[in-house]
Amino acid sequence: MRYETPDPLHPTLLPALIAAEDALARLDERAARHAVAEGFRERGQFFDAAAALWVAGELVHVEDLVLHDSHMDARAPSHELTIAHAVLRTRRRLELAEAGWALSAAGLGVLRGEQGSAAASDALAEISAPGAATDEAESREAEDADENPLASEFAELDAAIARSERLLDIHVSAVASVTQTAKPEPEGQLGLLFDEEWDEAARLDAWRAVLPLADQLPAPLGAAILFDAWERIEPLRRQHWLGSLLVGVYLRFRGKVVSHVLAFNMGLKTIRHERRRSKDRLTRLDAFLEAMSMTAGVGMKELDRLSLAKTQMEMRIRDRRSNSNLPGLIDLVLSRPIVSTALISRQLGVTPRGALNLVRELGLREMTGRGRYRGWGVL
């Protein structure tokens, strides 16, 4: 599949491009130097993961995602919550990786799970290969049997067990090799649900072929074209949400937003579906550029809100003792959209009753409205 590139310098795109350039530059400058920059980045991971599911038409509550990430689920996780957590883990991996790693063929292969399959195959081959240690053990057992006649029966039994294990490993290796070389079957009944000819590797190559064009354009417009190409080509069937994360990766690679991976879904969900999925390409690109501006605006407001909340909470603990747990709770609540009693207890090493007392002293607001599994946060 080939993506037909549009006219990147169309006059209708210039206002949105200029606005996105200015907004992203302002956000990056503030996020890189702000006092709550670390909490802003960590909270943005959760908000963007939930927004990615919202864009896909699924609702995931942020508090459920926080509890699931901390292994403190209030109920069995849903399928949508599991996907949102996969988005969250991928965002964290992209934050730690080099700027252009995810845009390379090797990086995309790792993100779509190719390296995991190769590692499993290597482990299987290592298990199936007959080792020299077994032969040495058999020879030692034979020598012991010569010295001690009572051990001969045990040596014969161990040798029989070793031969059975080698035969079983050979059988497993043969089945694995046949499975790897066989053509994968369609995942729906009679292949009606999925396309048998879907070639993810070829589609990813087609998407990466758009990168040279994007590199010749301003960073926001290049990112918008890459995201539009991802939406049109649809390289991955199960990880389609990866395209929105690569927008932030590309802006970081181009040096436009280097302080963090932009939470592009936060702004994208504010754009009407008719514009995001329009048949007119220029309308879609204009919508994506506006989404970047909206993301930057939301990020600036979030920084202001966290800064004000931090100032107010620090005023409350100004006269506290030096070994108080309240400063640790401030750092925790600024790095999570919501905190629970169990999370506070585990992170600060206090009892659940002590966690409730700390919440009361700090004046945090209850965010869930529940009688059980309550959570607190800052507005």
Side-chain angles (χ1 to χ4, degrees):
M1 178 177 290
R2 184 174 179 272
Y3 177 73
E4 297 181 1
T5 55
D7 180 12
L9 300 178
H10 199 278
T12 58
L13 297 177
L14 293 181
L17 174 60
I18 295 173
E21 285 272 3
D22 182 66
L24 292 176
R26 290 175 181 271
L27 174 65
D28 186 52
E29 180 65 22
R30 289 200 62 190
R33 304 174 181 272
H34 210 281
V36 294
E38 186 64 30
F40 168 76
R41 285 192 293 268
E42 184 63 24
R43 290 167 65 92
Q45 311 278 29
F46 291 94
F47 286 125
D48 190 61
L53 271 291
W54 194 98
V55 172
E58 303 291 346
L59 179 61
V60 173
H61 295 285
V62 176
E63 56 265 26
D64 292 335
L65 182 58
V66 174
L67 294 176
H68 181 69
D69 182 62
S70 304
H71 305 287
M72 299 177 181
D73 299 271
R75 62 185 68 85
S78 62
H79 179 64
E80 293 76 16
L81 181 59
T82 305
I83 297 176
H85 193 238
V87 178
L88 176 65
R89 296 197 309 270
T90 304
R91 279 193 56 89
R92 287 171 172 169
R93 186 168 193 172
L94 296 176
E95 284 276 5
L96 298 176
E98 296 182 0
W101 171 79
L103 301 175
S104 63
L108 288 172
V110 173
L111 294 176
R112 60 189 283 245
E114 284 184 344
Q115 297 298 326
S117 301
S121 301
D122 295 340
L124 182 60
E126 182 179 353
I127 293 174
S128 61
T134 305
D135 298 334
E136 294 177 359
E138 291 179 356
S139 62
R140 286 195 302 268
E141 290 172 356
E143 294 176 358
D144 295 338
D146 294 337
E147 297 176 0
N148 186 7
L150 297 178
S152 60
E153 296 182 0
F154 294 101
E156 293 178 0
L157 180 60
D158 292 339
I161 294 175
R163 286 194 299 269
S164 300
E165 290 179 349
R166 284 199 297 270
L167 290 175
L168 181 60
D169 291 339
I170 293 173
H171 175 70
V172 171
S173 177
V175 172
S177 62
V178 171
T179 304
Q180 291 175 359
T181 56
K183 182 179 180 180
E185 298 180 356
E187 296 191 22
Q189 184 178 5
L190 301 180
L192 296 178
L193 299 181
F194 295 98
D195 186 4
E196 298 183 40
E197 304 298 330
W198 194 290
D199 190 349
E200 290 189 350
R203 288 172 179 262
L204 283 173
D205 291 339
W207 178 78
R208 294 189 68 250
V210 187
L211 280 170
L213 171 65
D215 293 340
Q216 300 175 7
L217 301 172
L221 183 56
I225 289 179
L226 286 176
F227 183 66
D228 184 60
W230 185 278
E231 292 287 301
R232 299 298 104 188
I233 298 175
E234 297 182 348
L236 305 181
R237 289 186 292 184
R238 295 181 181 82
Q239 295 173 293
H240 189 67
W241 43 263
L242 184 60
S244 59
L245 306 189
L246 293 179
V247 171
V249 171
Y250 183 76
L251 291 174
R252 190 181 186 185
F253 172 70
R254 292 286 302 273
K256 193 61 183 179
V257 182
V258 297
S259 58
H260 63 288
V261 175
L262 185 73
F264 179 62
N265 290 295
M266 289 292 295
L268 189 63
K269 75 175 188 177
T270 64
I271 306 299
R272 295 180 58 185
H273 179 270
E274 292 79 5
R275 295 184 60 200
R276 289 189 280 113
R277 308 295 296 181
S278 174
K279 295 182 179 180
D280 181 48
R281 184 173 297 153
L282 293 177
T283 301
R284 296 195 304 267
L285 293 177
D286 185 76
F288 299 152
L289 290 172
E290 183 179 345
M292 296 179 196
S293 300
M294 295 297 295
T295 301
V298 171
M300 297 284 282
K301 293 179 181 178
E302 178 75 359
L303 286 171
D304 292 338
R305 191 167 63 89
L306 292 179
S307 178
L308 178 60
K310 182 180 180 181
T311 301
Q312 292 176 342
M313 289 187 292
E314 287 178 345
M315 292 179 62
R316 286 177 173 267
I317 66 171
R318 184 168 47 189
D319 299 328
R320 299 289 177 174
R321 63 183 187 276
S322 58
N323 61 345
S324 174
N325 286 315
L326 289 174
L329 180 57
I330 292 178
D331 295 336
L332 179 62
V333 77
L334 289 178
S335 65
R336 296 288 191 279
I338 191 171
V339 294
S340 64
T341 304
L343 181 61
I344 297 173
S345 301
R346 190 176 69 178
Q347 294 291 333
L348 302 184
V350 298
T351 62
R353 173 52 60 183
L356 288 174
N357 293 336
L358 291 175
V359 168
R360 189 179 301 109
E361 292 183 28
L362 204 56
L364 299 179
R365 177 169 178 175
E366 208 281 326
M367 305 288 287
T368 60
R370 300 173 178 173
R372 300 179 61 189
Y373 303 106
R374 293 185 297 169
W376 292 267
V378 295
L379 291 178

